[in-house]
Amino acid sequence: MGDGASFRIPSGKQIKSVIFRHQKGSQKENSEYEDLLEKSNIVGAIHREKEEKEIIEILLKEPAGENGVPPVVAITGIAGIGKTTLACLVCENDKVKDRFGSPIWLNAAGKTFDDLASIAGPARNPSLLVLDDLRAEISKSKVSELRKHGVSVGAGAIIVTTRRTWQSFDDKAMHVLPLKGLDEEQSWSLFTSLGSSNKHKEEIKEILHNCLEVPPLATKLVSKFLESRAGTLEKDKLSKWLQFCLQPLAVQLVAYLSLFPDDYLIHADRLIHLWIAEGFVPPEKSCRQVFDDFVDSGIFQDVKREEDGDGVVKSCRDMQELACFVAKKKKDEFISTGVEEEPLLRASFDMRLADSVSKLELFLKEEKRAKDLKTILFHGMVESPLVLGNQERMNEYTCDKVLSTCKALCVLDLQHLGMNMVPSSIGKLKGLTYLDLSHNNTEKLPNSITKLSQLKTLKLSQCHLLKELPKDLKDLTKLTHLHIDGCVNIQSMPRGINKLTSLQTLSHFVVGKNEPMACEELRNLNELRGHLEIMYPERLKFQGSSSEWMNKKEHLRRLTFRLDQHDKGNEQDQKKALQALEPHTNLTELHVVGYKGNEFPSWIPSLDCLVKLSLYNCSTPEPLPWLDKLPSLEVLELRRMHSLRFVAEKCDDSVHPFFPSLKKLTLWDCPKLQSWWRNNNNTDGKSRNSIIFSCISSLQIHYCPNLTRMPLYPTLDEILELVDSSVEPMRDTIYYGESKMGFKEAKVVPFSKLKCMFIASIQKSPPELWLVNFTSLEKLHIRDCSQLEALPSGFKHLRSLQSLTIETCPVLDLDQSPDEWEGLEKLNCLIIKEIPKLKSLPMGLEKVKSLREIRLHDCAGLTSLPEAIGNLTSLVRLEICQCEHLASLPEGIKELICLNILIIKDCPLLMPRCQPDTGNDWPKIAHVKNIVVKQTSQRLWAGKLRM
């Protein structure tokens, strides 16, 4: 209970007394205490025999101690160390029960000493009073007060479990017992006693060998996690997971996850910001790194990463069962975990549910349950916020009731609730340090927000209708994090924001049309870190040295300049502003949007730490000669550079290595781009260029049809995308690998390590047998290739291919290459869309025994499926949509014993034949567990889903 775990608050009349007492010899069943014993799991106190014996010896002395003073035993230690479990073990000792009977047990988290006075009626002496998880400040006078209240309820001895460090105060009847974690042998004994699977025991034993003072709850967490994964955990992740979860911090953070609903999409930034607000992660640790450790450990599911950049985790789902186990809670309960300085009671409400508002209102009526709460999280429609629209899940009246009732709040999360108004009563929450109003529909905030003198974090992200920030924002002198990204209607910043010198996060800084001196507001904000986006910097009027504006912001890592693309004739203002806003050389990311000047700032080549550079919708026609002077550059994006003809001035093969750190290159919508170099002195038709990107992994070229010469990319190993662009650079790379001076000699074959390729709208065919080298390719997508008549030569060499999608190729005849399918020994997913010449499944496909999924969409020429489909014995899913001329299913479909899902949509001839019991083809498919037959265009249900 108290070990960083749960505090279940009784409901109704029980709230008046959370103490459960049994007098000596009483036969009355103590159900609450029995429930506690079951949750605590006495086996967790294994190897606590010494401490148990010591406490029992103290308790079995005269119950009143010397001079009528009851002895006090304080069991201290970190969350999860086993304090509550040890107390239970002592209470269940036969000698202790003979002396005291069952204990008077108080769940003390969040309680003060005054609360003890509410204990009604003395018990028969002697009794044992247990205060579990006491968080209140302790002094010598408080100990005296504790004894006084203990005596009033007939306590002959007192046990306290607490995370705080206690002293004895020269008190002979005061005993402090600090608990430490278990050693290797003890942890291993506990782990084996929990009955865990034998699958990973040897690895766990080896890791425990290097672990000292492991909290028992952490060992239980390991056991429960392995049980929940049922042996699916990858061996290479096991060590990292164990080393992580055997830390007290991990136990606390996993318990916190129980505040999120089951299967809820958790946005990484939200969780990290809450951790910061709760004070969970020590200042010396990076919250993002701790979160990444969570991800690497495997405790999160359905992990989604950003598609661009460094693949940072964007969202995930937690293992709710595991989180609730660690928190020792059931659904809709409260948990008490957190920092040691003060009690933190937390509640959460799933506002996606139809009865959520009524549940909330019922909760608020029991004011005593709500008045001590420090954190409330409201979970709205995160996954489909647009569905929320006008559905206001939290109206002004209900929100005002929350604010008026829960007066002790420190953390309040109201995001994604469709709120139109924020009550002015928000200003009464004097202790509020964290307020999240993101993704709501409010147009204006009450100025009373500026009375929140303790507020450190204010999140307003994606409040699209918000027109302005409170004018007295400067009064929030402790404000550290201000998130206003996505607040597109904010036209300027409130005056005096420069007084917020503690600001570390300022996602956007908007320069108003009538605020030319806004640069003065930016001058003193030198503690900014993370990402800053400056909107309309060309409106600024600068005086003095440029180092005064941005160069002193040494903690800033990401910077975006978003210029006004609709203001004509301001090219010189843009150029002057960017030149003046020179950042510190610690900058790692730079994004420039809408720049119309003919040359970029001269300070860019000096950014030695720059890892990512993105230029978007910039109209400069001139080359960017400084790109290869950025030694740390890993990601380069040139998007919508409509005037750009050349990237660099000349081809200089003396520079070696060329772009030594570049891993990802994106060229997107640069229609005039002809060549990487203006001077192609080393790239004529006969003497092809020999400049290569030495460590590139990902290359995306979209809508650059005239780009025929660029550095080669033989080491590409992750992604290659060519969309409406020339294949000449790819041809050059292949030819380069075949040359004597090329990579064959170095035993590196171009594209031999590439994992994923997307080819669309290319006008010329790649070279003959171009796929021969793609032996590591796992995913291939071919689309909109109007001249592709047959499968590319060398197709059968794709022995690692797992997923193949072919769509919108009007002249493609898949029957021309029956032998090419034979080599696809790992192919498990085939998607064919809008291939009009497809009459049946491709000839030779029946040899691909690994296929688990086939999807056929909008193939007008499809009239039948072959009997040989029965050879695809691994097929699990078959999907047929908009195939209007397919008239029946083959008998061979009966042989597909693994087929679990059959979906038939918008196939007018086939659908009547697949009706349950009456359709002619029903006997062929009756064995399939899940069948969907549907006419989506008319929204008519014509089938059956059997689960």
Side-chain angles (χ1 to χ4, degrees), residues 755-803:
K755 299 293 191 301
C756 180
M757 182 163 60
F758 177 32
I759 300 288
S761 304
I762 57 174
Q763 301 304 316
K764 292 183 180 180
S765 298
E768 190 70 18
L769 298 175
W770 65 289
L771 285 176
V772 171
N773 294 341
F774 290 68
T775 53
S776 299
L777 199 66
E778 298 175 357
K779 186 174 182 179
L780 175 61
H781 190 163
I782 300 174
R783 191 190 73 195
D784 295 321
C785 293
S786 58
Q787 298 180 12
L788 184 65
E789 298 180 358
L791 288 176
S793 300
F795 196 74
K796 61 185 177 184
H797 295 281
L798 304 181
R799 299 191 181 277
S800 299
L801 194 66
Q802 300 175 20
S803 174

Side-chain angles (χ1 to χ4, degrees), residues 36-54:
L36 168 63
L37 291 178
E38 180 182 351
K39 282 188 174 185
S40 294
N41 192 350
I42 292 296
V43 73
I46 194 168
H47 298 300
R48 294 297 191 193
E49 294 88 353
K50 178 182 177 182
E51 294 87 347
E52 177 192 3
K53 183 179 179 181
E54 183 178 346

Side-chain angles (χ1 to χ4, degrees), residues 370-414:
K371 72 180 184 65
D372 292 327
L373 283 173
K374 300 291 179 152
T375 294
I376 298 185
L377 309 184
F378 292 97
H379 302 295
M381 205 72 68
V382 176
E383 298 186 59
S384 303
L386 293 180
V387 175
L388 195 61
N390 296 322
Q391 299 178 21
E392 191 176 26
R393 290 288 182 179
M394 177 75 75
N395 58 37
E396 188 177 7
Y397 170 80
T398 304
C399 186
D400 181 67
K401 185 64 175 175
V402 171
L403 303 178
S404 302
T405 306
C406 307
K407 298 178 181 179
L409 283 177
C410 295
V411 174
L412 178 59
D413 189 327
L414 293 161

Side-chain angles (χ1 to χ4, degrees), residues 420-433:
N420 295 319
M421 294 288 291
V422 177
S424 59
S425 55
I426 189 80
K428 296 180 180 179
L429 300 179
K430 300 302 182 182
L432 199 65
T433 63

Side-chain angles (χ1 to χ4, degrees), residues 52-237:
E52 177 192 3
K53 183 179 179 181
E54 183 178 346
I55 296 173
I56 291 174
E57 287 179 353
I58 296 170
L59 298 180
L60 293 183
K61 293 179 180 179
E62 288 297 323
E66 298 181 4
N67 303 318
V69 177
V72 177
V73 179
I75 306 173
T76 67
I78 62 174
I81 205 69
K83 303 183 295 294
T84 298
T85 304
L86 178 57
C88 288
L89 195 67
V90 169
C91 292
E92 287 299 294
N93 179 269
D94 289 339
K95 293 180 180 180
V96 173
K97 292 169 77 172
D98 287 342
R99 174 64 64 91
F100 298 102
S102 293
I104 302 174
W105 191 283
L106 170 63
N107 300 315
K111 299 297 176 182
T112 66
F113 286 97
D114 292 335
D115 293 322
L116 297 175
S118 66
I119 301 173
R124 183 182 305 168
N125 290 344
S127 59
L128 177 60
L129 173 63
V130 181
L131 304 180
D132 183 36
D133 200 16
L134 185 64
R135 308 284 186 89
E137 289 283 356
I138 298 301
S139 62
K140 190 172 184 178
S141 62
K142 289 294 185 182
V143 173
S144 299
E145 187 179 346
L146 172 62
R147 285 198 176 104
K148 177 182 177 182
H149 287 304
V151 170
S152 70
V153 297
I158 302 171
I159 295 178
V160 176
T161 72
T162 179
R163 301 179 196 177
R164 292 189 175 277
T165 301
W166 273 33
Q167 299 175 357
S168 295
F169 305 112
D170 298 322
D171 187 337
K172 292 182 180 180
M174 176 73 196
H175 307 270
V176 179
L177 184 67
L179 276 191
K180 295 183 178 181
L182 306 181
D183 60 23
E184 172 195 352
E185 182 179 346
Q186 293 169 335
S187 295
W188 176 246
S189 178
L190 173 58
F191 180 78
T192 54
S193 69
L194 295 171
S196 302
S197 167
N198 293 320
K199 183 174 179 62
H200 298 297
K201 281 194 173 182
E202 290 305 315
E203 294 94 327
I204 293 168
K205 190 171 185 179
E206 181 179 350
I207 291 167
L208 287 174
H209 178 68
N210 299 316
C211 294
L212 299 176
E213 298 190 5
V214 177
L217 186 56
T219 304
K220 294 180 188 178
L221 173 59
V222 171
S223 176
K224 185 69 176 179
F225 177 74
L226 294 177
E227 177 187 330
S228 67
R229 294 298 294 265
T232 62
L233 189 64
E234 297 176 19
K235 188 174 181 179
D236 59 343
K237 287 187 176 181

Side-chain angles (χ1 to χ4, degrees), residues 473-753:
L473 192 71
K474 63 181 182 300
D475 293 343
L476 297 177
T477 55
K478 292 189 177 181
L479 195 64
T480 308
H481 305 284
L482 176 60
H483 301 263
I484 56 172
D485 47 296
C487 297
V488 294
N489 274 312
I490 292 180
Q491 299 300 312
S492 64
M493 306 303 290
R495 292 191 177 184
I497 197 173
N498 61 320
K499 295 181 180 180
L500 302 180
T501 53
S502 296
L503 267 184
Q504 295 181 12
T505 301
L506 178 60
S507 56
H508 280 55
F509 186 92
V510 185
V511 183
K513 285 188 175 181
N514 299 317
E515 298 289 339
M517 298 306 294
C519 54
E520 296 296 331
E521 300 285 354
L522 195 60
R523 182 199 298 266
N524 295 332
L525 303 180
N526 291 330
E527 292 301 313
L528 291 180
R529 54 202 68 206
H531 183 206
L532 169 64
E533 178 169 325
I534 302 179
M535 302 280 291
Y536 316 128
E538 67 273 23
R539 297 175 180 174
L540 296 172
K541 301 299 181 184
F542 297 96
Q543 295 179 355
S545 171
S546 62
S547 64
E548 297 178 359
W549 316 119
M550 297 295 296
N551 199 256
K552 292 182 180 180
K553 296 171 177 46
E554 58 181 311
H555 305 293
L556 202 62
R557 293 296 178 265
R558 300 167 57 201
L559 180 61
T560 296
F561 295 116
R562 190 174 297 272
L563 301 113
D564 191 343
Q565 303 173 40
H566 305 292
D567 187 1
K568 297 181 179 180
N570 65 347
E571 290 85 353
Q572 289 302 314
D573 290 338
Q574 289 189 357
K575 182 178 178 180
K576 184 185 300 183
L578 261 59
Q579 185 63 44
L581 293 171
E582 177 181 355
H584 194 277
T585 54
N586 286 342
L587 198 73
T588 59
E589 286 190 27
L590 176 62
H591 305 257
V592 182
V593 181
Y595 181 63
K596 294 184 290 187
N598 58 3
E599 59 183 47
F600 283 85
S602 60
W603 45 258
I604 293 183
S606 66
L607 300 178
D608 290 343
C609 297
L610 198 67
V611 173
K612 180 175 180 179
L613 174 65
S614 176
L615 306 180
Y616 180 84
N617 204 13
C618 299
S619 57
T620 176
E622 297 301 318
L624 314 173
W626 32 262
L627 284 177
D628 56 3
K629 293 181 173 62
L630 299 171
S632 303
L633 191 66
E634 296 182 6
V635 180
L636 174 61
E637 297 178 347
L638 305 178
R639 298 174 182 265
R640 295 196 67 185
M641 304 283 283
H642 288 169
S643 301
L644 187 67
R645 295 176 296 166
F646 308 101
V647 177
E649 185 63 35
K650 62 180 180 178
C651 175
D652 186 359
D653 54 8
S654 65
V655 178
H656 188 78
F658 184 73
F659 281 91
S661 303
L662 191 66
K663 296 179 180 179
K664 179 175 180 179
L665 173 63
T666 299
L667 304 174
W668 197 296
D669 196 11
C670 303
K672 293 184 178 181
L673 187 59
Q674 303 171 21
S675 171
W676 194 270
W677 307 275
R678 187 199 299 271
N679 181 2
N680 274 330
N681 61 326
N682 196 29
T683 58
D684 56 70
K686 296 180 181 179
S687 176
R688 299 183 182 274
N689 89 74
S690 58
I691 307 296
I692 66 168
F693 291 120
S694 57
C695 62
I696 195 168
S697 292
S698 174
L699 175 63
Q700 296 173 301
I701 306 178
H702 288 230
Y703 317 116
C704 301
N706 296 309
L707 178 60
T708 58
R709 291 292 182 269
M710 65 176 292
L712 308 181
Y713 37 91
T715 63
L716 206 64
D717 58 6
E718 289 295 332
I719 298 173
L720 172 60
E721 295 184 6
L722 291 178
V723 178
D724 195 10
S725 299
S726 172
V727 297
E728 287 298 317
M730 185 173 71
R731 294 171 65 97
D732 290 346
T733 302
I734 293 175
Y735 289 140
Y736 179 72
E738 295 174 352
S739 68
K740 293 181 180 179
M741 298 175 60
F743 273 77
K744 267 191 174 179
E745 186 177 341
K747 296 183 180 179
V748 177
V749 181
F751 305 119
S752 62
K753 297 182 179 181

